[in-house]
Amino acid sequence: MRIRILQIPYDSGQRAARMGRGPMYLTDNGLLERLRARGHDVDIELIETAEPFPSEIKVTFDLQRRLADRVRATIVSGAFPLVLSGNCNCAVGAIAGIDPLHTGLIWLDAHGEFNTPETTIGGFLDGMGLAIATGRCWREMASRLPGFRPVPDDHIILIGGRDFDPLEIRELQRTGITLVPPLLAREWGVPGAMVPALASLRDRVTDIYVHIDLDVLDRDEATANMWATGGGLTVAEVDEMLHLVRERFAVRGVGLGSYDPDADRNHRALRAALRFIETACDPSSRPAAR
Ligand SMILES: [Mn+2]
């Protein structure tokens, strides 16, 4: 498979700071070798802003706009887009570049990413990715992304969420977004928790985009960023989930975000990232019938 890595090394509009270091760190520490050892043909494209006065909101949406263009061009060229970003909200640009009305979204994250400017208590723009993707906030900014359409709620599965702001979870539970919290996987096992949700999604879409925030992992498994928290999934559980997804859907693209190398002192998050990317990008499990 021909894989194009799209690197967006920004966190909150700042280049190569905190989680903005993650994309380069991954490619400098084994990702390229790992993918090439699997027989993939890999190249890298760097995505940067050219904003003369880089405000956080402007840069964030400028990066998403550029990413949407490059994801589309990558697919047109016959390559597979692998998005490495500092922030998770790059998934909005990625799915805009694919086909937001007909592509399901599998989002692995400790957090809801469903805040809006009216519900957030942390003030973190990158805690709003799913709310933007579904058309609930920053609507004018998002509408200017090439290809953007709100992703239907019932095309989305949020896996591993356990750390929500109070108003955020209240709003999230009112939506058609399917939640697979870690406790569900703990009680029913990974297939028990995942297979019904995936089967239901498969009735609506055949193609999906997979977004991985490594803080979906339990803090004892790996510390991917400063928000890593307990009660999360194990590396083996996430890997099994990705296998189940690949067996059932045509994966159109994969994104991995929110990896801060400074938080990952024992490199466990790095190792998990390489494994998850390898699993998610495995063409051998691509479903034959479309
Ligand atoms: Mn996230």
Side-chain angles (χ1 to χ4, degrees), residues 3 8 40 53 78 106 148 168 172 191 199 203 221 233 235 246 290:
I3 297 176
I8 308 111
H40 298 304
F53 187 83
I106 304 275
F148 178 85
E168 178 187 34
L172 195 51
D203 287 340
E221 288 275 304
L233 296 168
V235 172
R246 285 241 52 143
R290 289 282 298 279

Side-chain angles (χ1 to χ4, degrees), residues 88 107 109 113 213 258:
C88 287
W107 191 301
D109 208 303
E113 316 268 306
D213 180 332
S258 299

Side-chain angles (χ1 to χ4, degrees), residues 3-219:
I3 297 176
R4 172 155 307 145
I5 295 176
L6 299 163
Q7 275 182 325
I8 308 111
Y10 291 80
D11 179 353
S12 304
Q14 301 182 52
R15 195 184 191 288
R18 200 172 57 176
M19 300 184 296
R21 288 184 56 227
M24 288 358 182
Y25 200 84
L26 290 164
T27 50
D28 287 347
N29 289 278
L31 179 61
L32 295 176
E33 294 78 1
R34 183 92 170 235
L35 290 173
R36 285 174 180 148
R38 294 281 295 186
H40 298 304
D41 184 358
V42 187
D43 62 26
I44 302 181
E45 199 173 290
L46 180 63
I47 294 178
E48 295 172 288
T49 186
E51 288 294 337
F53 187 83
S55 83
E56 177 181 4
I57 297 164
K58 194 159 61 169
V59 168
T60 295
F61 282 92
D62 180 55
L63 293 169
Q64 290 181 18
R65 178 180 62 78
R66 291 167 187 272
L67 179 62
D69 278 337
R70 298 318 301 159
V71 164
R72 173 158 305 137
T74 297
I75 291 172
V76 167
S77 80
F80 180 90
L82 169 58
V83 177
L84 303 180
S85 60
N87 285 151
C88 287
N89 58 30
C90 281
V92 177
I95 201 161
I98 301 175
D99 182 355
L101 287 183
H102 306 101
T103 308
L105 185 51
I106 304 275
W107 191 301
L108 297 111
D109 208 303
H111 306 97
E113 316 268 306
F114 202 68
N115 270 307
T116 70
E118 305 306 325
T119 68
T120 182
I121 56 176
F124 190 33
L125 183 59
D126 198 32
M128 304 182 192
L130 262 183
I132 301 169
T134 55
R136 285 182 169 83
C137 62
W138 300 110
R139 283 192 285 265
E140 280 296 299
M141 297 297 285
S143 71
R144 283 160 173 75
L145 302 174
F148 178 85
R149 299 290 296 276
V151 178
D153 288 354
D154 62 359
H155 290 188
I156 300 172
I157 302 177
L158 175 64
I159 298 169
R162 58 195 183 276
D163 187 6
F164 303 99
D165 286 356
L167 293 178
E168 178 187 34
I169 185 63
R170 199 186 72 185
E171 294 301 317
L172 195 51
Q173 283 171 336
R174 288 176 177 168
T175 71
I177 295 173
T178 300
L179 303 178
V180 179
L183 264 181
L184 201 66
R186 196 89 346 110
E187 286 177 14
W188 296 1
V190 166
M194 288 288 291
V195 168
L198 295 177
S200 171
L201 180 62
R202 190 63 174 70
D203 287 340
R204 293 185 282 278
V205 292
T206 56
D207 293 8
I208 52 149
Y209 182 76
V210 178
H211 174 74
I212 304 166
D213 180 332
L214 287 174
D215 69 21
V216 73
L217 293 170
D218 191 90
R219 189 175 39 205

